[in-house]
């Protein structure tokens, strides 16, 4: 099979390579991807999250599990991610099943976050209505007094999710909309590939 996009044994390695090349091309937050989930009524919704790890085990991001996205992920166990890097003219789409990371993994990553971000994880009831920003700032101050030092435990509602891709599509911009598309489909422990028309 001939493909303009490289054929590799592990497409996650190519995803990481493309992300690094996007960063090298000047994209400051190359790890930003759109996360799509479906609510109980079957309506899709999307928002941007940050990829914190991409390995053979899957792609990891962190969030408030009590937020709409967290509830959707827990209810369906499925999601999709889409990365778009304009500077390199590349896109990657991933679909798959989702599981929560272990408490140890979540604790380890939470400890690396800036202090104000850790306090914010306690203070914000993500996506709930508040009267004003003053409410949020007051809650941050409340938790700042409660945890005056660097030892701030991870809130029980804050965790990570790992998407295990069932398929990954690589797209590269081509002249006159003759783009390159290569689809990897999970096949047991390996992958099979399909070249797609633009």
């Amino acid at each position: 099979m001939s493909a303009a996009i490289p054929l590799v044994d592990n497409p996650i390695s190519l995803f990481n390579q493309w992300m690094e090349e996007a960063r090298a091309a000047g994209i400051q937050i190359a790890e930003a991807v759109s996360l799509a989930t479906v609510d109980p009524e079957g309506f899709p919704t999307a928002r941007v999250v940050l990829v914190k790890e991409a390995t053979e085990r899957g792609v990891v991001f962190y969030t408030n599990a009590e937020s709409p996205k967290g509830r959707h992920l827990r209810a369906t166990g499925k999601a999709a991610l889409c990365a778009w890097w304009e500077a390199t003219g590349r896109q990657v789409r991933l679909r798959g099943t989702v599981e929560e990371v272990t408490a140890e993994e979540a604790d380890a990553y939470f400890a690396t976050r800036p202090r104000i971000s850790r306090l914010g994880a306690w203070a914000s009831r993500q996506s709930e209505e508040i009267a004003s920003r003053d409410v949020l700032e007051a809650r941050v101050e409340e938790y700042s007094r409660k945890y005056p030092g660097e030892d701030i435990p991870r809130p029980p509602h804050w965790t990570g999710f790992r998407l295990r891709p069932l398929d990954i599509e690589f797209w590269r911009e081509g002249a006159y909309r003759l783009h390159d598309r290569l689809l990897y489909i999970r096949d047991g422990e390996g992958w099979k590939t399909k070249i797609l028309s633009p």
Side-chain angles (χ1 to χ4, degrees):
M1 179 189 298
S2 174
I5 296 170
L7 289 168
V8 295
D9 291 335
N10 177 12
I12 292 291
S13 67
L14 183 57
F15 174 71
N16 281 321
Q17 177 186 326
W18 279 21
M19 187 184 301
E20 285 304 314
E21 290 173 357
R23 191 172 287 114
I27 297 177
Q28 292 186 347
I29 310 178
E31 64 273 21
V33 299
S34 294
L35 165 70
T37 58
V38 177
D39 72 13
E41 287 75 44
F43 284 98
T45 184
R47 76 292 280 163
V48 174
V49 297
L50 300 179
V51 171
K52 294 300 178 183
E53 177 183 280
T55 68
E56 292 79 5
R57 296 175 61 204
V59 179
V60 175
F61 56 91
Y62 289 85
T63 189
N64 184 323
E66 295 175 354
S67 68
K69 63 179 169 294
R71 294 196 302 270
H72 299 172
L73 292 167
R74 282 178 164 174
T76 67
K78 299 173 184 174
L81 296 171
C82 181
W84 162 241
W85 301 299
E86 183 177 11
T88 57
R90 293 170 175 174
Q91 173 183 268
V92 181
R93 298 191 307 148
L94 309 92
R95 295 186 314 155
T97 57
V98 176
E99 63 183 13
E100 291 186 43
V101 303
T102 65
E104 292 76 17
E105 288 174 296
D107 286 344
Y109 174 67
F110 188 77
T112 70
R113 303 181 84 213
R115 182 173 187 275
I116 190 67
S117 296
R118 286 178 283 155
L119 293 172
W122 282 100
S124 174
R125 297 187 177 111
Q126 197 174 85
S127 300
E128 290 187 12
E129 183 179 6
I130 55 176
S132 70
R133 183 168 177 86
D134 292 342
V135 173
L136 176 62
E137 291 176 355
R139 286 181 55 82
V140 170
E141 182 58 33
E142 172 190 341
Y143 282 101
S144 184
R145 290 192 301 272
K146 182 174 181 178
Y147 302 114
E150 287 296 320
D151 187 17
I152 303 169
R154 177 177 60 89
H157 58 262
W158 193 94
T159 190
F161 291 90
R162 177 178 286 106
L163 183 141
R164 182 176 188 267
L166 298 176
D167 54 66
I168 306 176
E169 182 191 318
F170 293 86
W171 178 101
R172 185 168 60 188
E173 185 175 24
Y176 307 106
R177 301 190 65 79
L178 297 177
H179 313 305
D180 297 316
R181 294 174 65 191
L182 181 62
L183 178 65
Y184 285 82
I185 302 167
R186 192 175 290 278
D187 184 16
E189 293 304 310
W191 298 87
K192 60 183 180 181
T193 57
K194 294 181 180 181
I195 299 174
L196 305 181
S197 182

